[in-house]
Amino acid sequence: MKLYIIIASILLHATTAFAQKTGSVTGVVVDKATQQPLNGASVQLDGTSKGIIADSMGKFRITDIPVKTYNLIISKIGYKTYTVFNMVVNSGNENTYSIELEAEAALLNDLIVKVNKRSVKAATLETPLSVQRLTAEEIKSNPGGNFDISKVIQTLPGVGGGQQGGSFRNDIIIRGGAPNENVFYLDGIEVPVINHFQTQGSSGGPQGILNVSFIEDVKLSSSAFDARYDNALSSVFQFKQKNGNPNRLQGNVRLSATEAALTLEGPLSNNKKTTFLASARRSYLQLLFQAIDLPIRPNFWDFQTKITHQINKKTTLTFLGIGAIDEFRFAAPKEATPEKLYTINSNVLVNQWNYTIGASLKRTFKNGFWNLALSRTDFNNDIEKYEDNQNPTAANKSLDIVSAETETKLRFDVNKTYNGFKVAYGASTQLADYSNNTFSIIRKEVRDAGGAIVQPAVNVNFNSPLKAFLRLGAFVQVGKRFMDNRLGVSAGVRTDMNTFTTDGMNGLQTLSPRISFSYVMADKWTWNSSFGTYYKIAPYTILGFADNNNVLVNKNAKYQRSNHYTTGFEYLPNDGLRFTIEGFYKQYSNVPVSNRNGISLANLGTDFTLLGNEAVTTNGKGKAYGVEFFVQKKLTKNFFGILSYTFYKSLYSGRDAKYIASSWDNEHLLSVTWGYKFPRNWELGLKFRYQGGAPYTPFDEQQSRLNYLSQGVGILNYSQLNTMRLNGFNSSDVRIDKKWNFKKITIDLFLDVTNWYIAKNPAIPEYTFKRNDANTAFLTTDGLPVKGDGSNAIPTGVKNDDPFVTPTIGFIVEF
């Protein structure tokens, strides 16, 4: 805190006499369809006379720009004009952009020309609807986002944050689907792990891994997926990274109360053909929690890099890497409370590490280009739990899982245009390797005072014999515009196979057709519609599960299937404003159902253990349907904002084949985010979120009493699955930034306050036994020590809905 005060004092008293008032921007302009550089493209700072013409390699650089926020306009005859909104020019770092311009078709009327030139439009021919895009600046300045991309995207339509509103975890729920139905691509390479402490078999965790300083923009598609993407049931995230700056070495340091991060970028060769980005970050959450006497001690590191080398005018080689190291431990609180003691024994101890490394080769040819990508992902997960996590011994261990997933992937695709047709096709193969050594006490043997068994032991103890197996896929996508280019049609099909499951090599069973339409009704109005069938292989946690005789029991698991029906309208009144309204219906089949509990696994996946580490039957069904409204205003006249609202229903069936509300059936999602740029480099951002109450399951009082001492939590009554419902979640976050520009240095001092008006956090009730006033033992009905079967304990709840306000002050130094 003293350091923050000193820095703030220096900055507040700094005079503008020492400030360097100019910055610069650099980048490259290419044809979107062919990836060929565009010689002669015009690059103009909106509202100024500053601009430049791209050279023969499509490269541009504008220098001596007065520091402020601009919109950057890129145009060329025969191409649609593109605008980079909200480009902040500082003296510290030079902005770097890779601009893709889309060729104009041979249009017969000015109406279509006007529509196609609107830069705010996020859709493409392949995905004409259910698509949103965020820039790096929108992510950085998002109130409450804390530079975490996984949190920021919760402002988009149809995106929920889990049962408790995403206040703690990044469980991405898209249009009522489960959190493991999303896939993530970083510059075309799949990255399965994007969160620290990620739930294996799912995708959520409390903190994102991706460094926002690497990101140029993020594209979310929640339907009408391009056929090149496999394993997506609810969404595809495409993270586009910027290239390292080719002109000079630069970077930034970010320091706050919770983390410290360093990012560097620059050229690696004198000819500027090789550039790099590299970053490292570590958390200080364990110090923060120690200071406020919380008994948890999360600690993490993450690393990210990208190297780009232009071999020649037609060929580019890119290498990327991302990884994380996570550790979750406990510490005895200075002042014990029932809530703190419950936290210690209800959670697991976690050691995780993961990485994804990949290399991609892109080569352009006449009217197109091809990509070849090779990558490897390794995810190692070590989880333990004890009856007393503060005093762990071998005798009181209740959970011990050592699991690892490794994927080595090879992808090849060709993209070209031919007589007005846009064609893409390709294939992929990957070698999947999985190991799992599990010991888990599901139910401990419990005896009464007379020694009679009231509950027999139920244990899981296996070493998965799953051998490495292959996954194969192929796709083709074709699109074209008709009727004087008013009507766009794109159709695709893909198939996926594997060498492990019983019917895995039957490619006809996973044949997934899709088709989309886009029709320009009038100036500013477009109707869009799509239908598609999508498949997802069961998580490795399911495929690799074995019984206590080490026999794999889920070999007959089917690919989960989802049919999407989507239609909607888009209204573009001007170049910086976009309205959309869409209706959607998703129909699920082959959903995994737990043999033990009889419930759909689509309701699970938001804890810190493993999702799917059990015997299942893939005969569940589900459906989700609703309507969503979205408004996005790009930066004009110092103001930008997003408003989204979704009404939806989400239902799944279990063993009894009856549809009931899923754990993600919040019904209402509302988000409003806006920002305003004031003079003298001040910026204010405000965000409000409302999420309807989520269903939850009550406890089985008898089973909870019997098992609480060994499990540390209550046992849910799955015969009453999701029959209760929480109150709605609401929260507002505020962020204030102030920047100072000096000679080649920019300092950004920020204050970010989550839940500034102290709203209560609706939380699922927790089960525990009542403790004495000193919190040293459980109270009992007879005054004796608590019995092993809990029969003399006094059940009670844990208070867990207190408001949680998180003020974060920090600074970013660009140099």
Side-chain angles (χ1 to χ4, degrees), residues 21 103 108 126 172 231 262 284 313 333 338 401 481 525 557 559 566 593 603 605 654 698 724 735:
K21 294 294 185 180
L108 300 181
E126 298 81 9
I172 301 173
N231 241 31
L262 170 66
Y284 292 113
K313 189 174 182 178
I401 300 176
R481 298 193 181 276
W525 284 93
Y559 280 78
T566 312
V593 173
N603 291 291
M724 310 292 284
R735 180 185 173 98

Side-chain angles (χ1 to χ4, degrees), residues 199-440:
T199 302
Q200 193 171 359
S202 190
S203 64
Q207 178 68 46
I209 295 175
L210 295 174
N211 183 351
V212 69
S213 295
F214 279 53
I215 302 300
E216 189 166 327
D217 66 45
V218 179
K219 180 181 177 183
L220 163 64
S221 304
S222 50
S223 193
F225 310 137
D226 191 314
R228 73 183 69 236
Y229 301 115
D230 64 311
N231 241 31
L233 295 182
S234 278
S235 76
V236 175
F237 285 86
Q238 299 171 62
F239 301 100
K240 179 184 176 183
Q241 297 186 111
K242 67 180 185 179
N243 292 325
N245 189 281
N247 301 310
R248 64 184 176 110
L249 178 66
Q250 62 182 31
N252 67 73
V253 174
R254 187 173 76 239
L255 181 65
S256 71
T258 59
E259 64 182 22
L262 170 66
T263 301
L264 296 173
E265 61 173 304
L268 288 177
S269 61
N270 292 330
N271 60 11
K272 301 182 180 182
K273 289 186 176 182
T274 307
T275 63
F276 83 98
L277 285 157
S279 74
R281 176 176 61 158
R282 73 152 303 169
S283 74
Y284 292 113
L285 286 171
Q286 71 277 24
L287 301 180
L288 174 63
F289 291 158
Q290 181 180 357
I292 61 178
D293 198 28
L294 284 180
I296 57 177
R297 296 291 184 270
N299 185 28
F300 66 77
W301 289 80
D302 58 50
F303 312 90
Q304 195 168 338
T305 189
K306 177 182 179 180
I307 299 173
T308 305
H309 175 62
Q310 188 173 5
I311 298 174
N312 54 48
K313 189 174 182 178
K314 293 185 176 182
T315 311
T316 303
L317 175 66
T318 301
F319 170 83
L320 63 82
I322 182 172
I325 303 170
D326 305 329
E327 181 184 50
F328 191 90
R329 289 289 180 266
F330 302 99
K334 298 176 183 177
E335 181 182 349
T337 66
E339 293 78 18
K340 293 176 183 177
L341 295 175
Y342 174 83
T343 296
I344 292 173
N345 286 331
S346 64
N347 286 291
V348 296
L349 299 104
V350 179
N351 273 308
Q352 279 187 11
W353 60 265
N354 69 83
Y355 69 82
T356 295
I357 57 173
S360 63
L361 188 67
K362 178 190 292 184
R363 182 169 176 82
T364 64
F365 55 85
K366 184 179 180 180
N367 297 328
F369 64 97
W370 55 256
N371 284 304
L372 177 66
L374 177 65
S375 65
R376 178 181 173 90
T377 295
D378 208 338
F379 178 34
N380 280 255
N381 195 14
D382 187 350
I383 296 175
E384 294 179 345
K385 188 178 181 183
Y386 299 83
E387 292 182 18
D388 184 355
N389 277 333
Q390 284 185 275
N391 301 289
T393 65
N396 70 12
K397 180 180 285 189
S398 59
L399 181 67
D400 189 356
I401 300 176
V402 179
S403 180
E405 301 177 6
T406 304
E407 293 179 328
T408 304
K409 305 176 184 181
L410 182 65
R411 296 177 182 268
F412 180 75
D413 60 78
V414 178
N415 309 266
K416 62 182 179 180
T417 57
Y418 179 75
N419 288 341
F421 284 90
K422 188 176 180 181
V423 181
Y425 56 88
S428 64
T429 182
Q430 57 182 286
L431 180 66
D433 197 3
Y434 177 76
S435 63
N436 185 340
N437 194 335
T438 291
F439 168 74
S440 177

Side-chain angles (χ1 to χ4, degrees), residues 648-667:
Y648 72 99
K649 296 291 295 180
S650 173
L651 305 99
Y652 285 90
S653 69
R655 182 187 295 151
D656 59 5
K658 294 180 180 180
Y659 282 106
I660 63 170
S662 77
S663 299
W664 329 117
D665 184 46
N666 297 90
E667 296 186 341

